[in-house]
Amino acid sequence: MDVDIGNALGTTPGVTTGVLDRLDDRVADAHETITDGMANDAFGYAALNLPETADPDAIRSAVDRYDDPEAVLTVGIGGSALGAATLANALDSEVDAYFLDNVDPDQARRLLAELPLSETVVNVVSNSGTTAETLANFLVVREAMDRADVDWTDRTFVTTGGEGNLRRLAEKHDLPALDVPAGVPGRFSVLSTVGLAVAALQGHDVEAILRGGADGRENLSGSLYDSPAYAYGAVSYALARRGATTNAMMPYAESLETFAEWFAQLWAESLGKDGVGQTPVRALGATDQHSQLQLYRAGPREKLVTLLRPRERADVSIPETDLEGLSYLGGSSLGELLDAEFEATEASLAAAERPNVRIEIDRVDERSLGELLYGMEAACVLYGELDGVETFTQPAVEWGKKAARGLLGGGEFEEAEAVSDKRELVVSGGR
């Protein structure tokens, strides 16, 4: 993974080489804190050890019992699903991957009606084993399998912590159970059992994903000038401090669109604390050049645009044509056009003095994805250290969970009482 921060220099907002040189001393201190946390396997920092501590053999032993499934359905939410979805949607496989990561009844009904349940493996993921959305969806899935005369216990495994409802369920029904790694928040768990079980079921090279993560770890150093991950984290932090409070992640590959969703959770949930943070926005090149780029180039100057692409990809030739004005396309390829769109967007933003950063990976394969995912995690941890926030907690999320559980009768929570205090000023459509 390479990170080019040149287009963050001399922009508005922007940084200078002098700013980066001064910031580099703080990066060195933050790196020492991070490496100490990793050495002690401290909460959160343990995620950066996963390329070495994850156990591919344990993952395979849990999933190899399912011979030639047509599909795998992950029931989870947030970090329990997005990492696996990122890998599944980036890599080709004959085993289709689906994700039930919301409690929208229409979506659940449509998905379960389409799935070949007798040939589907269900992966239920919750660290606590008590996540309301996940357990509710699983109960719905289990009922659908019962109605289809499918023994759900033969088609289900769980990924969970050492205690909780899911662990007890696995013990009661003798289900395969993968352990969520201790000290790893869900949004940092893609390089563990949480993100890799689906990849293994789909036949992907789990070891190569972890090798990519290990490559990313080897590239961490005490200077932003020697570490692509730290360069990205440090520049993102510096730009946010100067007013670039939005970060538009814009991959130029359809296969990386879900990566932008994964990044959005990582960045938002980790860094949005104490009135600071950088709001992630999901975009897709070249599609969103025709929808969002107008805002990024000519709107408020509070954005960093991150442009991501693979250097190598399969390509499709564009046929020759005699249509007037289109002959320049003939003999080229869709890949060349996409690269031209990438570079034109980059130049357009630079010409308007809007900060942007280029991230390039070798190709969309297991090793490069492992390196990219690890790199963004390390960048996020560094950003959090520089900004002085509790990167690995999510108190605002927990508040909402308690409120919802209280409304459903799952306990007495003062957060639920706040719902009744909602102000109303309703403009009715006359229904």
Side-chain angles (χ1 to χ4, degrees):
M1 181 180 80
D2 292 331
V3 174
D4 182 353
I5 59 177
N7 278 353
L9 304 174
T11 57
T12 307
V15 295
T16 65
T17 54
V19 167
L20 293 179
D21 290 343
R22 292 191 296 273
L23 184 59
D24 205 33
D25 292 335
R26 294 183 59 200
V27 170
D29 292 339
H31 176 62
E32 185 174 346
T33 299
I34 292 168
T35 53
D36 285 347
M38 293 167 63
N40 294 317
D41 232 18
F43 179 76
Y45 300 101
L48 298 181
N49 292 327
L50 284 172
E52 285 74 35
T53 59
D55 185 355
D57 291 335
I59 295 170
R60 270 191 295 269
S61 68
V63 304
D64 279 353
R65 69 191 67 203
Y66 304 110
D67 295 330
D68 299 323
E70 289 186 25
V72 53
L73 171 63
T74 296
V75 182
I77 195 168
S80 295
L82 276 172
T86 296
L87 293 169
N89 293 337
L91 301 169
D92 292 332
S93 174
E94 294 182 359
V95 179
D96 295 325
Y98 300 89
F99 297 86
L100 201 51
D101 59 352
N102 202 344
V103 286
D104 182 329
D106 286 338
Q107 169 62 10
R109 178 178 49 80
R110 283 193 297 264
L111 179 58
L112 292 173
E114 295 170 2
L115 280 174
L117 293 175
S118 63
E119 300 298 328
T120 297
V121 175
V122 177
N123 176 25
V124 191
V125 188
S126 170
N127 183 18
S128 67
T130 62
T131 308
E133 298 92 338
T134 298
L135 294 181
N137 273 332
F138 175 57
L139 293 174
V140 171
V141 171
R142 192 171 72 174
E143 182 182 57
M145 297 180 87
D146 284 340
R147 287 200 307 266
D149 292 326
V150 176
D151 186 346
W152 66 271
T153 64
D154 287 340
R155 310 297 303 171
T156 301
F157 71 98
V158 303
T159 306
T160 191
E163 299 178 356
N165 295 329
L166 276 184
R167 180 62 64 174
R168 290 191 292 272
L169 182 80
E171 292 170 351
K172 178 179 179 180
H173 295 282
D174 196 25
L175 305 178
L178 287 168
D179 296 328
V180 172
V184 177
R187 58 190 177 278
F188 287 90
S189 64
V190 59
L191 299 179
S192 76
T193 51
V194 176
L196 297 178
V198 172
L201 267 169
Q202 289 191 296
H204 300 309
D205 189 341
V206 172
E207 282 86 356
I209 296 171
L210 292 172
R211 281 197 302 273
D215 290 342
R217 175 172 174 165
E218 289 178 7
N219 286 328
L220 300 183
S221 76
S223 172
L224 69 90
Y225 295 111
D226 296 325
S227 171
Y230 284 173
Y232 185 71
V235 166
S236 298
Y237 159 77
L239 288 171
R241 280 295 186 176
R242 286 158 179 78
T245 54
T246 298
N247 187 341
M249 176 59 70
M250 195 169 185
Y252 275 69
E254 290 269 350
S255 59
L256 294 176
E257 186 172 14
T258 307
F259 164 80
E261 296 186 36
W262 173 86
F263 173 85
Q265 184 195 6
L266 178 74
W267 222 243
E269 197 168 14
S270 300
L271 304 175
K273 317 279 171 65
D274 305 323
V276 299
Q278 192 177 48
T279 302
V281 173
R282 294 170 282 178
L284 179 66
T287 300
D288 287 320
Q289 289 174 217
H290 296 266
S291 60
Q292 299 179 28
L293 184 59
Q294 175 66 37
L295 175 67
Y296 301 159
R297 191 179 194 274
R301 290 183 176 272
E302 41 77 55
K303 297 175 187 64
L304 161 65
V305 180
T306 302
L307 303 166
L308 166 64
R309 72 172 175 183
R311 293 191 186 89
E312 301 174 16
R313 69 178 96 218
D315 211 346
V316 175
S317 297
I318 301 174
E320 299 284 355
T321 179
D322 57 1
L323 292 174
E324 185 176 353
L326 296 180
S327 59
Y328 73 97
L329 292 173
S332 184
S333 71
L334 294 181
E336 290 172 332
L337 177 58
L338 190 58
D339 282 340
E341 300 273 15
F342 178 100
E343 291 162 15
T345 299
E346 186 178 53
S348 169
L349 292 165
E353 298 184 352
R354 307 295 176 120
N356 60 93
V357 170
R358 175 192 289 204
I359 299 177
E360 292 183 310
I361 60 175
D362 290 338
R363 61 195 66 83
V364 180
D365 64 4
E366 287 95 335
R367 193 208 63 79
S368 292
L369 285 169
E371 184 179 14
L372 174 65
L373 293 163
Y374 187 94
M376 292 299 100
E377 290 181 355
C380 182
V381 174
L382 177 77
Y383 186 131
E385 296 292 335
L386 295 175
D387 220 9
V389 299
E390 295 288 341
T391 308
F392 305 115
T393 63
Q394 53 282 333
V397 175
E398 297 304 322
W399 194 101
K401 287 181 179 179
K402 292 176 182 177
R405 188 168 180 178
L407 290 174
L408 292 169
E412 295 292 330
F413 297 98
E414 64 181 24
E415 291 85 353
E417 297 174 7
V419 176
S420 61
D421 296 333
K422 179 190 177 301
R423 293 179 180 174
E424 290 190 352
L425 199 167
V426 178
V427 181
S428 176
R431 296 183 301 276

